[in-house]
Amino acid sequence: MSPSRSVLLVGEGNFSFSSSVCRLDSESESSVTATCLQHQEEALRQEGAAANIQTIKDSGGTVLFEVDCTKLGECAFLKGRVFDRVVFNFPHCGRKSGVKKNRELLKNFFLSCVEVLAEDGEVHVSLCNGQGGTPADQPKREWHNSWQVSAMAAEAHLILSAVRPFESDNLPSYKSTGYRSQDKGFHVEKALLHVFSRSTSYTPVQIVQMEELVEGEKVHYNIPAELSDYVFRRFLCSDSIHPVKLVQDFLLEGFAERRPVSMKEEPFPFLISAKRLQTCCHGVDNLQCYWIHPLQKELTFHVQEKDAACSNKKATLYPSKSDKVRSKGTECLQPICCHDVNLEVEGGLYMLRPSLRPQLEELLINKEDIDAAQPQEEIDKGFEVEGSKKEEACQGCNGASSLLFGISGVVFRSVPISLWALPAFHELLLTGVFPLESEPVKLILHELETLLAPYGVSIVTEEGGLHLVAHPIGLIGKVFSSDTADSNKHVTVSASLNLDLLAVLLFSVPDWRLLWSHDPRFLKQFSLRPPPGTSFQPFSLHPESFSFDISFWTGPAWEEKRFYAIVREASRGTVEQVKLIDTFSHPDLSQTSYCYRLIYHSHTHALSHTQALRFHKQLEVLLSSRLQVTIR
């Protein structure tokens, strides 16, 4: 036990555990408060209780009687106090109580103990083998026959941080008692100690209002609500220790061993025009785009000074942190939503960038113009070149060289909800012009294979290019080529890589949503910049999943992609899978009934059945109000 810790022990029987703790920590400054439910006379009848109580008091500890562990906030002595650790060993309702009563005991204890728990405190609960219902129990009981300890803790916004053996051998004077309200001990062999800590709060959905300069026009628009937590996160800034940045550095260093890599760091607009997408992003599915119409009413932003990351940006303005979210006056700004657009008919439409290819192509065009007007040393100031010497970047002729140009940033895809479908991710896009005789596609693939094959990445030939895939994630990147003006001698080769999925793969992160967690325990594991192959240790163990069905009648204008957007918003990103399980079209009415199954599951927050149901009810409200569906 760490020095200077305050410890509260509840549900004590003969106080032998508390006494043992006091003996072990006699040289520390820990303060122990031991409590039991029985009144003093009844407690003293237990064998050894009097001597154990005296040991606690002699060590400077406190002993309290008639303390209900499910109502700790009502105990006068505990009011105003907080503890670094709350301990409950082998909780039991007494006699032959079933699992449901003991689950209720656990839930009420957790709800009570958070009232006296320090912000960074821990809750320790010891259970007999099999009772907890986690994979750590061997053999594991069926879920319905266990105490479901992690789910009960989640009701109090606690997550299971660790599970380890209950080490009774280190407590020689400890003697468990109270089994079925008798003077019998519990089966402590293979018993497990469950350690819980507080979960961070769910990030509220925000309205993020934007102002950007797109192709010479100043555009005001709103980021879709379900994407509000995916912007302005700065994972790729120069001093970042985020695993997405670590993966990018790993890839760039690998490429730089063979050729210079020129990365352009610039805060490109999130918005691009539909016309621009048509001209340069032929591999992007229009149905996966987040279509945006500007706000109808002009909005004046008071934009503060741009931070260091935006210091090179001249025309495009981003709102400062304080300007991102505005509730005042929002109702008078009417965005026009567009989810099914005919690009040949509609003009002037915008979308959130689904790829960085338009920005990279614009950079390369601008660079060609600059090359013709400026000396090379002036050009190099705008690019950060890694790898070989600068003169090596100018090999070849007619603009062809072994130099790779690259940019990276967040891109957005309106995709159905499934385990590996990301609505936002960081794309690393690299491109270069190479002599045809050098077989550059093979060279780039060989370099990627050398870097990523040890982590299970393989290369598959698909229509339209070569795909990098990994099981069970699926597609994590593409390599494709295109003709140049000098197509007989040179070819342009590009590689598009999903840095988020690569971070999941290279650091064994169990869920991509962890990458976007605000919990400091996530980034703490990357503070020393571990190399790829270092396994991430989850800070929330064995989170439970909850399944809810939802069915409703829709009209002829039903759009499934809007349904997915509302699910993401209502659930705060906790729905990891959505499955269509039934449809029915009414023969007389122009209505169709859909039934979907939603799986709620979170590795980032405490998700209880109560919380999941609350999200689900909110989903019903939003579907009814926004899509005009009739919930069945």
Side-chain angles (χ1 to χ4, degrees):
M1 191 172 295
S2 302
S4 304
R5 278 203 170 227
S6 55
V7 183
L8 174 65
L9 299 108
V10 303
E12 285 289 90
N14 56 20
F15 291 92
S16 61
F17 184 86
S18 302
S19 173
S20 299
V21 169
C22 289
R23 288 193 180 98
L24 288 174
D25 294 335
S26 59
E27 297 181 1
S28 72
E29 298 179 6
S30 299
S31 74
V32 173
T33 301
T35 71
C36 72
L37 180 61
Q38 295 78 18
H39 56 73
Q40 185 172 355
E41 290 182 1
E42 185 179 352
L44 289 173
R45 294 193 194 108
Q46 298 203 43
E47 182 181 351
N52 292 328
I53 291 171
Q54 192 60 48
T55 299
I56 297 168
K57 291 181 177 179
D58 291 344
S59 302
T62 302
V63 177
L64 302 175
F65 303 96
E66 300 179 65
V67 176
D68 187 342
C69 70
T70 65
K71 300 176 181 179
L72 294 174
E74 298 178 7
C75 177
F77 184 84
L78 299 179
K79 284 188 182 298
R81 296 190 62 187
V82 292
F83 296 87
D84 299 306
R85 185 174 297 174
V86 180
V87 181
F88 196 178
N89 288 319
F90 305 105
H92 198 274
C93 286
R95 304 195 182 278
K96 293 185 177 181
S97 53
V99 292
K100 289 186 178 180
K101 286 186 177 181
N102 286 304
R103 280 184 214 145
E104 195 70 16
L105 169 64
L106 281 176
K107 183 178 76 171
N108 291 332
F109 159 68
F110 286 125
L111 289 169
S112 172
C113 78
V114 293
E115 297 181 39
V116 297
L117 184 68
E119 194 61 34
D120 59 348
E122 294 179 346
V123 181
H124 289 202
V125 177
S126 300
L127 296 174
C128 298
N129 182 40
Q131 289 178 339
T134 72
D137 291 292
Q138 295 298 328
K140 181 184 176 183
R141 290 186 191 178
E142 293 181 345
W143 174 241
H144 69 272
N145 196 33
S146 73
W147 292 14
Q148 303 174 6
V149 65
S150 59
M152 296 303 103
E155 297 288 346
H157 306 290
L158 296 171
I159 56 176
L160 181 60
S161 301
V163 183
R164 48 181 179 259
F166 178 76
E167 298 176 341
S168 58
D169 293 342
N170 295 337
L171 305 167
S173 61
Y174 172 62
K175 179 185 176 184
S176 67
T177 185
Y179 175 70
R180 291 186 176 178
S181 302
Q182 304 173 46
D183 191 16
K184 292 182 179 180
F186 290 90
H187 300 289
V188 298
E189 297 82 10
K190 297 184 179 181
L192 295 174
L193 172 64
H194 303 77
V195 181
F196 298 90
S197 56
R198 292 185 186 272
S199 168
T200 55
S201 301
Y202 285 94
T203 304
V205 174
Q206 301 175 332
I207 296 176
V208 182
Q209 295 181 358
M210 300 288 296
E211 178 189 78
E212 291 184 321
L213 194 64
V214 182
E215 298 182 14
E217 290 187 24
K218 187 181 289 186
V219 183
H220 299 141
Y221 67 98
N222 288 341
I223 293 286
E226 72 272 16
L227 300 178
S228 63
D229 199 36
Y230 296 113
V231 295
F232 302 107
R233 296 297 296 273
R234 294 175 51 81
F235 291 168
L236 294 176
C237 64
S238 59
D239 59 347
S240 172
I241 58 170
H242 196 279
V244 166
K245 178 65 161 60
L246 299 184
V247 168
Q248 175 174 286
D249 291 345
F250 166 72
L251 292 170
L252 294 180
E253 289 167 7
F255 277 114
E257 290 179 0
R258 296 174 181 266
R259 60 177 53 80
V261 180
S262 173
M263 288 295 294
K264 184 67 173 178
E265 295 183 2
E266 186 172 335
F268 305 101
F270 291 139
L271 218 58
I272 64 171
S273 68
K275 183 167 59 177
R276 182 126 182 86
L277 180 78
Q278 280 186 303
T279 58
C280 64
C281 288
H282 305 292
V284 175
D285 187 351
N286 290 336
L287 297 177
Q288 292 187 355
C289 294
Y290 274 101
W291 294 97
I292 302 290
H293 259 296
L295 298 170
Q296 284 185 315
K297 182 176 178 179
E298 183 72 13
L299 177 67
T300 301
F301 281 84
H302 301 288
V303 183
Q304 298 178 356
E305 288 187 10
K306 299 180 286 292
D307 56 26
C310 301
S311 60
N312 294 327
K313 195 157 182 113
K314 296 179 180 178
T316 303
L317 298 178
Y318 282 77
S320 66
K321 185 74 174 178
S322 60
D323 291 323
K324 280 191 222 171
V325 183
R326 290 169 176 255
S327 56
K328 219 171 181 182
T330 302
E331 58 280 345
C332 68
L333 300 168
Q334 300 295 328
I336 309 172
C337 296
C338 186
H339 296 274
D340 189 10
V341 180
N342 185 339
L343 295 181
E344 296 180 358
V345 176
E346 299 286 349
L349 291 176
Y350 299 93
M351 68 189 69
L352 294 178
R353 59 192 190 200
S355 169
L356 295 177
R357 287 179 68 182
Q359 284 85 354
L360 184 57
E361 288 192 8
E362 184 177 350
L363 275 178
L364 296 178
I365 292 171
N366 292 340
K367 182 181 181 301
E368 289 177 3
D369 295 338
I370 294 172
D371 286 350
Q374 293 184 11
Q376 182 64 38
E377 55 268 20
E378 290 296 319
I379 299 167
D380 292 335
K381 291 180 181 179
F383 293 87
E384 181 182 344
V385 180
E386 298 186 24
S388 306
K389 298 177 182 178
K390 276 191 286 186
E391 53 265 25
E392 294 179 2
C394 302
Q395 295 173 355
C397 57
N398 297 326
S401 75
S402 62
L403 173 65
L404 281 176
F405 291 97
I407 59 174
S408 58
V410 181
V411 295
F412 306 90
R413 303 282 177 89
S414 180
V415 292
I417 298 175
S418 61
L419 285 174
W420 303 110
L422 284 60
F425 62 91
H426 295 82
E427 180 187 28
L428 172 61
L429 187 60
L430 301 168
T431 192
V433 179
F434 302 88
L436 269 174
E437 65 267 16
S438 66
E439 298 185 299
V441 173
K442 287 186 178 180
L443 286 176
I444 296 296
L445 284 175
H446 175 71
E447 292 171 25
L448 283 170
E449 196 169 23
T450 301
L451 291 169
L452 300 176
Y455 307 100
V457 177
S458 56
I459 297 170
V460 178
T461 302
E462 297 283 350
E463 184 178 351
L466 295 160
H467 290 188
L468 282 73
V469 297
H471 181 78
I473 295 174
L475 180 67
I476 59 173
K478 296 180 181 179
V479 176
F480 47 92
S481 60
S482 57
D483 294 334
T484 64
D486 186 12
S487 58
N488 293 327
K489 295 182 179 181
H490 301 96
V491 64
T492 299
V493 179
S494 302
S496 170
L497 301 171
N498 186 322
L499 292 176
D500 293 51
L501 291 181
L502 282 170
V504 166
L505 186 67
L506 271 59
F507 290 105
S508 302
V509 179
D511 188 328
W512 65 265
R513 293 172 295 178
L514 275 162
L515 300 173
W516 299 91
S517 172
H518 292 272
D519 196 311
R521 286 169 286 197
F522 177 75
L523 277 187
K524 185 179 180 181
Q525 294 196 35
F526 300 94
S527 59
L528 298 179
R529 299 180 178 272
T534 305
S535 293
F536 171 76
Q537 301 302 314
F539 55 82
S540 177
L541 301 178
H542 316 308
E544 299 302 333
S545 60
F546 304 96
S547 174
F548 294 102
D549 290 353
I550 188 169
S551 59
F552 43 81
W553 289 105
T554 70
W558 165 250
E559 297 175 56
E560 191 173 48
K561 66 185 300 182
R562 295 187 65 192
F563 168 69
Y564 290 124
I566 293 175
V567 170
R568 287 190 169 100
E569 177 184 347
S571 70
R572 310 284 181 88
T574 58
V575 172
E576 70 174 11
Q577 288 191 79
V578 175
K579 297 179 181 178
L580 177 63
I581 59 176
D582 189 33
T583 60
F584 170 73
S585 295
H586 198 285
D588 300 322
L589 303 175
S590 299
Q591 291 184 318
T592 301
S593 172
Y594 293 88
C595 182
Y596 290 89
R597 179 157 296 158
L598 280 62
I599 308 297
Y600 292 80
H601 190 215
S602 176
H603 286 271
T604 59
H605 297 84
L607 181 64
S608 64
H609 182 274
T610 302
Q611 182 64 70
L613 185 59
R614 189 177 296 126
F615 286 150
H616 201 68
K617 293 298 182 183
Q618 176 67 7
L619 172 62
E620 293 180 351
V621 172
L622 293 182
L623 287 175
S624 298
S625 62
R626 295 186 187 175
L627 299 188
Q628 287 74 53
V629 305
T630 303
I631 304 296
R632 297 183 62 187

